[in-house]
Amino acid sequence: MKAVFLMKNTSSMFGLNVGVLKEFTPSLSQRNVTCYPSSMVHLSSLLSKQYHGGHVVIRLALAGHNQANRPFYRIVAAFNKRARDGKYMEQLGTYDPLPNIYNEKLVSLNFDRIKYWIGCGAHTSKPVSKLLGLAGFFPLHPMTVTEAERRRAAALTESSREREEEL
Amino acid sequence: MLQALCSRSLQAARLCAPRRAVVVEVVRGRKSRSDPIAKSKEGRIKTPPPVDPVEMVVLKERYEEYQLIISALRLEFKEEVQRKKYEAETGSMAEERARKEAEEHSALMAWNRAENQRMLQLRLQRVQKEKEEVEQKEFEAALEREQKRQEFIKLKEEELLRLQEEAKHFITLENLDQRIEEALDNPKNYNFAIDKEGRVIKQTVLK
């Protein structure tokens, strides 16, 4: 199966705000100094909508739940604690896991913005690292190579066993 | 489409009054900690997948190399981002851009001021015209009122004159006797006859 990459290289942007980390609230102690009676419930830490710690990740998010058995992923920069398909910060590409009529799996990547986010300290998830490795942006992921070797070994043993059975 | 709630909001939802009778949530696994193990899984011992030591060594080397390269890339990208930010703020083009923006701003402000002046002039003229119109109307209204007053006075004067004329023929206490005698001396006959063709006959039997 061929994997065709539709690369999207955009030119550099105007104003950069490298302040991704500015979005994190400073970790103020949320414990109250006064002691409340035990019947009271401390809800503010549960209901606060600011993120306390956490980092940015570049990962795959399932898109478009209008059709069953037809997955489609968006390569997305989002906060670590967010839901997989929830609000993200920026979309950096797409990945279609089902091959098309020419037996290709299409992937699109916005390298400029990926560079920016990694420069701001984003982590990448395993599938995204593998995709980038296959694209040539990152080095090839070790597991890609290992999986290929394993499959090759399995195929060899299968063929040798078949030949023995024939004989 | 059910979205998985994170634990915080889940607890919060449970603590606050739930809006619905059934709390809909995505649950991982059907069983809780205290549920018994299924019959088919009673004697099951979970083992981790077998590891090939040769492959493991090779994999470790590969991973080390990979992580080296990845961290080097990360530093590269970080440096690039910082360089771009620096250039944007204190680069060669930044000052020119700032200057141009300031120029544009001042030009636009000057244009705005000119427009305001123009509108002010137009407004003043318009206000002036309206004032003049109002004055004109007032003047005309005053004239009309004056005219009406004069006409009224004239009418009243005429009436007065008429009354004065008629007053000469009034019957007063001094004239009373005289007028009675006059009336008795000249009896007036108001009888007349008229037929269907409209011929009036003033001469009657009573003289």
Side-chain angles (χ1 to χ4, degrees), chain A residues 16-120:
Chain A
L16 288 180
N17 45 346
V18 195
V20 170
L21 302 163
K22 283 183 200 160
E23 292 191 51
F24 303 131
T25 50
S27 50
L28 305 163
S29 60
Q30 291 192 350
R31 305 184 195 290
N32 292 312
V33 178
T34 58
C35 19
Y36 286 108
S38 58
S39 56
M40 284 205 55
V41 175
H42 192 74
L43 279 178
S44 57
S45 63
L46 298 169
L47 293 172
S48 72
K49 290 201 174 162
Q50 298 281 357
Y51 284 110
H52 180 74
H55 50 272
V56 181
V57 280
I58 302 175
R59 62 185 181 194
L60 300 174
L62 256 185
H65 288 266
N66 304 321
Q67 214 180 18
N69 298 321
R70 195 0 176 156
F72 182 83
Y73 294 98
R74 274 189 216 151
I75 298 169
V76 133
F79 270 120
N80 183 32
K81 303 268 178 76
R82 279 270 180 199
R84 181 195 66 194
D85 306 337
K87 196 157 110 175
Y88 51 80
M89 296 160 70
E90 195 181 341
Q91 189 188 342
L92 306 169
T94 53
Y95 166 57
D96 183 7
L98 301 187
N100 65 4
I101 49 174
Y102 306 110
N103 213 17
E104 300 163 345
K105 285 187 185 174
L106 297 173
V107 176
S108 65
L109 297 162
N110 187 354
F111 289 122
D112 205 24
R113 293 304 295 171
I114 292 175
K115 262 197 269 183
Y116 168 76
W117 282 114
I118 298 182
C120 291

Side-chain angles (χ1 to χ4, degrees), chain B residues 18-207:
Chain B
R19 267 173 270 144
R20 291 172 285 204
V22 177
V23 178
V24 178
E25 52 192 73
V26 171
V27 168
R28 211 200 128 167
R30 253 164 54 123
K31 293 187 168 176
S32 76
R33 234 184 258 180
S34 51
D35 288 336
I37 305 174
K39 260 201 292 190
S40 59
K41 303 267 184 303
E42 258 170 11
R44 184 175 174 228
I45 306 167
K46 283 193 260 183
T47 53
V51 172
D52 187 13
V54 179
E55 199 193 46
M56 196 46 158
V57 166
V58 169
L59 250 188
K60 271 213 177 339
E61 278 177 19
R62 282 190 191 146
Y63 260 112
E64 276 170 20
E65 198 185 321
Y66 178 76
Q67 271 151 14
L68 256 179
I69 301 175
I70 289 284
S71 60
L73 276 175
R74 256 192 227 285
L75 290 171
E76 279 275 334
F77 295 153
K78 193 160 155 185
E79 193 225 324
E80 194 183 325
V81 159
Q82 280 175 349
R83 190 172 50 80
K84 275 191 188 156
K85 185 179 169 222
Y86 175 74
E87 263 189 31
E89 282 180 9
T90 55
S92 54
M93 301 296 293
E95 283 178 31
E96 280 187 37
R97 249 184 288 139
R99 197 172 43 81
K100 264 188 204 156
E101 266 183 62
E103 269 180 33
E104 219 182 297
H105 181 76
S106 56
L108 285 170
M109 289 300 284
W111 180 83
N112 193 27
R113 251 176 265 130
E115 276 288 313
N116 283 349
Q117 286 295 315
R118 191 173 68 88
M119 296 303 274
L120 177 74
Q121 297 305 319
L122 284 173
R123 212 185 322 129
L124 283 173
Q125 283 174 14
R126 190 167 22 97
V127 161
Q128 187 77 20
K129 264 186 217 147
E130 274 171 17
K131 237 194 294 182
E132 278 170 15
E133 271 174 29
V134 160
E135 271 183 33
Q136 183 78 17
K137 275 207 180 97
E138 259 201 50
F139 182 64
E140 278 170 15
L143 274 177
E144 281 246 6
R145 257 184 282 129
E146 202 44 54
Q147 202 183 7
K148 280 210 178 96
R149 211 157 64 86
Q150 294 297 326
E151 277 174 20
F152 184 70
I153 286 169
K154 239 184 274 180
L155 273 170
K156 292 298 177 191
E157 275 181 0
E158 275 173 23
E159 221 182 287
L160 201 69
L161 284 169
R162 238 185 300 127
L163 267 175
Q164 276 177 349
E165 285 287 331
E166 283 174 16
K168 288 179 194 163
H169 301 293
F170 282 168
I171 303 175
T172 59
L173 278 170
E174 295 96 9
N175 289 357
L176 188 62
D177 298 323
Q178 199 187 353
R179 290 294 275 273
I180 289 173
E181 279 191 28
E182 271 183 45
L184 284 173
D185 286 334
N186 319 331
K188 267 212 96 178
N189 187 13
Y190 293 104
N191 300 324
F192 69 94
I194 187 165
D195 64 358
K196 285 188 185 168
E197 275 117 47
R199 285 177 291 187
V200 176
I201 304 170
K202 288 254 173 110
Q203 198 182 10
T204 59
V205 173
L206 218 82
K207 252 193 238 179

